[in-house]
Each structure stands twice: as C-alpha cells, then as structure tokens.
Amino acid sequence: MDSLPSTTPDFWNSRYLSNQTPWDFGGVPADLKAYLKTHPRGGRVLIPGCGSGYEIKAFIDAGYTVTALDLSSVAIDRARQFVGPDSAPNIFAGDFFQHDFGATQFDVIYERTFICALLPEQRNAYRDRIAALLKYRGALLGYFYYQTPDLQAGPPFGFAWGTADELFARYFLLVKDIPVADSLPLFAGHERWQERHRTSFETAAKSDLK
Ligand SMILES: C[S@@+](CC[C@H](N)C(=O)[O-])C[C@H]1O[C@@H](n2cnc3c(N)ncnc32)[C@H](O)[C@@H]1O
C-alpha cells in the first residue's frame, strides 16, 4: 500500500484503516473555535479534504451550511457518522479537483492539512479552484503548514516562507496570520492560522511581473 501515490484514494484509505493518521486532531482546534465565536454569521462553508470531519459539526453548530468532501471513502464514512444523518448528504466522497459543485459559491472555505497533503505542483490548481468557488470577500481560512519542503518526505509538504504569499496574492488579501498554539506534534512550531479574503479582481502574481 505504501508504494501508492498520495494522489490516490487508497493511499489515504489505507492510512485511515490502519490508524496511521498523525494529522487527525480528534476535535476542533482552538483558533477555529475562536473564529466561530466571533463570526457567528452563518453562510455557506466548503471543507475540502475534510478527513474525519470534526469541523463540519462545529460549523453547523455555529449556524453555517456545510459542504465537505474527501478523496477517502473511509474518512467520509467516519465524517458522516460523526455529524449524523441530517448533514450526511452534504458530505461527499470525491476529488476536490473533479467534483461538480454546480453554481454554488461559498462564503468560507476551511483549510486544515489539505493543501499540504497535495503535491506542490497541484498548488496553483488548488488556488485557482478555491478562488473560483469563493464569493467576492469570501474567506479562505484555517491552518497552513510552513516547513522547508522535503519532496521525498511528504506528505505533508510544507510551504517555504514566502511561497504561500506569492501563491495566494493573485486572488487573495491576507488579513490575519498568527502562530498556532495547539498544533499536533507533526506540525508543532510550523503551523499558522491564516485568513485570506477573496479580492474582486485577479492581481498579477509577482512571477508575472517580469
Ligand atoms: C492530512 S489529511 C487531513 C484531513 C483533515 N483536513 C484533517 O485536518 O484531519 C488530508 C486529507 O485530504 C484528502 N485528500 C487528498 N487529496 C484529495 C483530493 N484531491 N480531493 C479531496 N480530498 C483529498 C485525504 O484523503 C485526506 O483525508
């Protein structure tokens, strides 16, 4: 199983089935709890790569309408069980890059250890899809992992300092960036809670300004 590429469902299914899930928080991390206390405004939330789905319930309890998906059907079974039958229909097994979201645009997209689970060469596609799925002034928020990338060792694949800013600058404005106090050992000292707002236009990336 370990020789499977991390872009396949079975790579992730095998980890969930064997409980090799060092990323699994087992609950709702503190910065998200704080965000939900101060932003009880409802709206539509997307959680891509939702894993076991603890945050799905937290957003629902705070009044949001949640759509979540994960490549791993094992994770999705767990998430559906965790949130209960009322919300289970909005939780999909599927590929974030292929899933048909219809015309839906979201107010919030929540990120935790999803982009670092992707290959670094998938980051532009992630950024573009997130930008297309968010409303103007919508927020991409959550946990981002910064670590000198070791392409042999991932996932997780961390961002080198500066590369996330350059990646997201095209469509987003960074409005909050703080260190995370309750990281799991896998991410400790390298995780930031960040909030980025969708701008109304495409800002030229630095790499385009030659
Ligand atoms: C490191 S885990 C994080 C899970 C969850 N966000 C958490 O914080 O516990 C990465 C998750 O992304 C999922 N994943 C990887 N590639 C995906 C894709 N293309 N579309 C949807 N989910 C994907 C994996 O199945 C896995 O559950």
Side-chain angles (χ1 to χ4, degrees):
M1 277 292 189
D2 268 5
S3 58
L4 286 167
S6 59
T7 48
T8 61
D10 279 343
F11 173 92
W12 296 101
N13 283 334
S14 70
R15 274 155 182 77
Y16 283 104
L17 287 170
S18 59
N19 288 321
Q20 287 179 273
T21 55
W23 62 81
D24 193 310
F25 198 81
V28 180
D31 296 291
L32 177 58
K33 281 187 184 158
Y35 177 88
L36 291 174
K37 268 192 194 143
T38 50
H39 296 75
R41 62 186 177 127
R44 288 189 161 277
V45 180
L46 173 65
I47 308 183
C50 61
S52 305
Y54 314 107
E55 295 98 328
I56 300 174
K57 190 167 178 329
F59 273 105
I60 292 170
D61 290 346
Y64 290 80
T65 303
V66 181
T67 300
L69 92 164
D70 199 287
L71 198 56
S72 161
S73 56
V74 178
I76 288 302
D77 286 347
R78 288 185 188 179
R80 285 186 177 143
Q81 220 171 349
F82 186 77
V83 299
D86 288 351
S87 302
N90 296 326
I91 304 176
F92 302 99
D95 185 339
F96 171 64
F97 297 103
Q98 306 293 330
H99 186 80
D100 181 1
F101 294 97
T104 310
Q105 282 203 305
F106 296 90
D107 300 283
V108 171
I109 298 183
Y110 174 72
E111 161 66 47
R112 182 175 179 276
T113 67
F114 175 49
I115 190 169
C116 72
L118 301 174
L119 301 176
E121 57 263 35
Q122 293 178 289
R123 286 178 184 168
N124 283 353
Y126 167 100
R127 185 261 332 264
D128 292 350
R129 192 136 171 81
I130 294 278
L133 288 166
L134 265 182
K135 289 178 185 166
Y136 165 51
R137 289 186 168 168
L140 168 64
L141 57 89
Y143 296 87
F144 293 82
Y145 174 55
Y146 285 83
Q147 176 70 287
T148 307
D150 178 349
L151 300 185
Q152 306 308 314
F157 298 107
F159 278 113
W161 285 111
T163 56
D165 291 340
E166 182 156 358
L167 179 75
F168 289 114
R170 183 182 290 247
Y171 300 108
F172 297 93
L173 189 64
L174 183 66
V175 296
K176 187 162 185 180
D177 178 19
I178 54 172
V180 172
D182 60 348
S183 296
L184 293 176
L186 180 62
F187 306 113
H190 299 280
E191 208 175 14
R192 317 272 309 171
W193 168 270
Q194 297 181 326
E195 297 174 19
R196 290 183 169 83
H197 288 178
R198 177 74 167 93
T199 53
S200 59
F201 52 86
E202 181 177 320
T203 310
K206 270 191 214 156
S207 51
D208 296 338
L209 299 173
K210 296 250 165 72

